[in-house]
Amino acid sequence: MGAENTIPALAIRAGGADAAQEAGLTATAPIDAELVVRAAPDIVFVEDFMGAGMVPFQELLSNPALAEVPAVKNKRIVLLPMNEASAVAGTNLPLGYEKIMTEVHR
């Protein structure tokens, strides 16, 4: 997701860096292993879209090419409920922000 989306915007506000932007990605785009390796994030925040959990991300995150990416290597893949950290979070958005801020400063 680009920095204009909720989760990256909250992470940046919490003091995190936008690894995708630092890697030269300027807009929201489909993610693949090459992009994750290039971004080399320390933390990956993923949205639990419609209760699917980590299932939509398992194939990508289990790709051997990601084994040395800091977020994967250190098991810092954080699942965030969409009702707390997305455009539909509404009044629950502070809960998502708190989770993101806690993880960024961990």
Side-chain angles (χ1 to χ4, degrees):
M1 292 181 190
E4 72 282 358
N5 289 288
T6 304
I7 293 174
L10 291 175
I12 292 166
R13 182 174 291 260
D18 184 345
Q21 186 177 34
E22 290 177 3
L25 307 173
T26 58
T28 299
I31 193 76
D32 62 24
E34 180 181 338
L35 294 175
V36 176
V37 169
R38 190 165 86 202
D42 292 321
I43 307 166
V44 172
F45 294 106
V46 296
E47 182 180 335
D48 185 2
F49 186 72
M50 303 296 286
M54 291 297 292
V55 172
F57 308 100
Q58 289 301 356
E59 183 178 347
L60 173 65
L61 294 172
S62 65
N63 185 317
L66 302 185
E68 293 303 313
V69 169
V72 176
K73 184 177 182 177
N74 298 318
K75 297 179 178 23
R76 293 196 66 195
I77 311 298
V78 180
L79 184 66
L80 299 166
M82 70 180 285
N83 66 347
E84 293 180 2
S86 76
V88 299
T91 60
N92 291 324
L93 195 58
L95 297 172
Y97 179 59
E98 182 178 356
K99 287 178 182 177
I100 289 170
M101 189 167 27
T102 299
E103 192 62 37
V104 166
H105 295 284
R106 187 180 98 170

